[in-house]
Amino acid sequence: MHYALNESSVPAEVVAAVDVNTTANEIYKHNFPSTPLLPKTIEGMTLQDFDKLNFDVILMSPPCQPFTRIGLQGDVADPRTKSFLYILELLPRLSKRPSFILLENVKGFETSAARDALLKTLRECDYSFQEFLISPTSLGIPNSRGSFLFRSVLTQILEGFPMSESSNSLAVPHNHPTSSECEREKTGTIIFKLETEEELERKRIQDSQETVRRLQDFLQEDEEGMDQYLLPPKTLLRYALLMDIVQPSSRRSVCFTKGYGHYVEGTGSVLQSCVDVELEGVFKSLELLSEEDKLKQLSQLKLRYFTPREIASLMGFPADFTFPKHISIKQQYRVLGNSLNVHVVSQLLRLLISK
């Protein structure tokens, strides 16, 4: 959120950043050492604490697990929504209500009871609002990460610039479907790698979208140390048919989640480093081979995980964003998987405050 605010060029001072996750806080403090950071839960702040901050804008991204389509969808019954519901309970009681509110969450929030509670509170507090479903591909970024974004403005701030209440009102063309590999239904005849002709055609269409940049623009040029990101033999043998494989020339990748690098299916794409080998040729008749020959064949592709820095670049983090040295690669993947796309939020911030 802070990087999105910086990129938006909206003149603003961050008066407080609040998060309970120790790792996320260490990374935040490393990159924004002078910003007041409150390592606590939102519920741990009193009404007086909020009033003392005297803020004009709230940028928030409540935990997405209660709303994600592949989760339990506990919605407001999930304890992780407590902080969000607490904000809604406090909003009408603040001595000075914020002029602007921006909320980011996953696709799925738009049909939740939490969203209904948000709308009810905002209407009671005299806010106008708009909702958006956006993927980074709409901005030319080769990564599918469908986000629900919500902007609201205190009606008295609008001063003759009415903002009608509407859903999905931003006319951003989606270049291709954004559902992750683990969520779609399998239909049609399997061609290779457990993929149907329909799925292969969808990927070909995605890779032909010239409005979307190629992955090679986001890859690290220095190949030193890349061997640590190669998929281990056990992973290759067990999950080869389930992985979403992309090449540097591809214009797509699936959403990277916090399980990336630890789990394989549905957590993000893997990169084919050796592009001289034809992918389809490697997978055809693979099941007929012995494990030793199978591994030999798959190893030709030099499949590797995207590095945390590469994922950060795809998510819009600037070149000067870094992790503290003691943060492990696994921790880096986890916080990135729980993050958001900086460019997408930056665009919404400009739109939110421009009027």
Side-chain angles (χ1 to χ4, degrees):
M1 285 292 191
H2 198 146
Y3 276 122
L5 182 65
N6 288 354
E7 186 182 298
S8 72
S9 298
V10 171
E13 174 197 357
V14 180
V15 295
V18 188
D19 203 297
V20 73
N21 185 283
T22 305
T23 305
N25 283 339
E26 287 178 350
I27 297 166
Y28 186 89
K29 199 69 181 172
H30 176 72
N31 288 279
F32 298 103
S34 59
T35 301
L37 175 61
L38 309 180
K40 56 171 70 179
T41 62
I42 294 291
E43 311 94 279
M45 297 179 65
T46 65
L47 178 63
Q48 290 71 31
D49 291 332
F50 277 96
D51 281 338
K52 282 177 189 172
L53 293 173
N54 192 34
F55 55 92
D56 301 298
V57 183
I58 297 180
L59 309 179
M60 59 176 164
S61 184
C64 66
Q65 292 89 342
F67 316 108
T68 180
R69 290 171 291 172
I70 57 173
L72 297 175
Q73 297 180 329
D75 206 333
V76 292
D78 191 311
R80 288 169 290 194
T81 59
K82 278 184 180 178
S83 56
F84 172 69
L85 297 175
Y86 183 67
I87 287 280
L88 297 188
E89 190 263 320
L90 284 185
L91 189 61
R93 299 163 51 206
L94 291 170
S95 59
K96 185 189 85 171
R97 292 174 189 167
S99 303
F100 306 99
I101 299 171
L102 186 139
L103 176 145
E104 184 273 349
N105 214 281
V106 294
K107 181 170 166 53
F109 184 90
E110 76 278 8
T111 57
S112 68
R115 179 256 188 187
D116 294 340
L118 172 64
L119 264 58
K120 182 176 182 292
T121 301
L122 291 176
R123 286 181 177 128
E124 289 172 353
C125 293
D126 200 25
Y127 281 88
S128 296
F129 57 84
Q130 284 180 300
E131 301 168 277
F132 309 86
L133 285 173
I134 311 176
S135 175
T137 52
S138 304
L139 300 179
I141 301 163
N143 181 241
S144 297
R145 192 181 186 89
S147 293
F148 170 85
L149 289 116
F150 190 102
R151 68 169 185 145
S152 53
V153 182
L154 202 57
T155 302
Q156 66 195 48
I157 301 296
L158 290 174
E159 297 177 346
F161 293 97
M163 184 173 72
S164 60
E165 294 181 7
S166 58
S167 184
N168 305 329
S169 55
L170 185 61
V172 176
H174 284 278
N175 294 310
H176 52 74
T178 60
S179 60
S180 73
E181 298 295 302
C182 60
E183 292 172 354
R184 67 177 189 276
E185 294 182 5
K186 301 275 187 185
T187 57
T189 306
I190 301 296
I191 305 298
F192 79 99
K193 207 171 94 37
L194 296 185
E195 292 185 331
T196 65
E197 188 173 0
E198 184 181 286
E199 290 167 333
L200 289 171
E201 180 59 23
R202 175 176 61 83
K203 290 181 178 182
R204 287 190 197 104
I205 291 171
Q206 291 172 11
D207 284 332
S208 68
Q209 297 290 334
E210 294 188 3
T211 55
V212 179
R213 295 167 65 187
R214 296 186 188 276
L215 285 170
Q216 61 198 27
D217 296 344
F218 300 86
L219 301 181
Q220 289 179 243
E221 293 181 6
D222 186 6
E223 294 187 9
E224 190 178 337
M226 284 298 176
D227 284 357
Q228 66 179 311
Y229 297 103
L230 288 172
L231 272 63
K234 280 186 180 179
T235 303
L236 281 175
L237 290 171
R238 187 172 180 182
Y239 296 106
L241 298 177
L242 299 173
M243 294 182 294
D244 180 68
I245 300 173
V246 293
Q247 298 179 343
S249 60
S250 300
R251 299 181 190 271
R252 61 169 200 88
S253 59
V254 296
C255 179
F256 296 100
T257 72
K258 68 176 186 177
Y260 191 68
H262 184 61
Y263 299 106
V264 177
E265 187 179 6
T267 60
S269 302
V270 296
L271 185 71
Q272 178 185 341
S273 301
C274 182
V275 293
D276 297 332
V277 181
E278 189 185 348
L279 184 65
E280 187 169 344
V282 168
F283 279 92
K284 277 201 169 174
S285 307
L286 189 68
E287 291 301 291
L288 303 176
L289 301 177
S290 66
E291 283 210 345
E292 185 181 345
D293 289 340
K294 200 182 288 186
L295 185 58
K296 197 179 293 183
Q297 188 136 315
L298 288 168
S299 297
Q300 296 177 70
L301 298 170
K302 290 193 175 178
L303 297 177
R304 72 165 175 86
Y305 293 110
F306 283 79
T307 69
R309 177 61 256 181
E310 289 167 344
I311 295 173
S313 296
L314 280 165
M315 296 178 71
F317 285 82
D320 60 0
F321 165 77
T322 57
F323 291 98
K325 288 183 178 178
H326 69 279
I327 303 295
S328 70
I329 290 174
K330 183 179 177 180
Q331 288 175 312
Q332 292 175 34
Y333 282 138
R334 286 183 68 84
V335 292
L336 286 167
N338 280 332
S339 191
L340 44 77
N341 191 284
V342 172
H343 296 319
V344 169
V345 176
S346 169
Q347 291 289 324
L348 262 291
L349 276 168
R350 287 194 192 108
L351 187 62
L352 173 67
I353 299 177
S354 63
K355 288 182 177 180

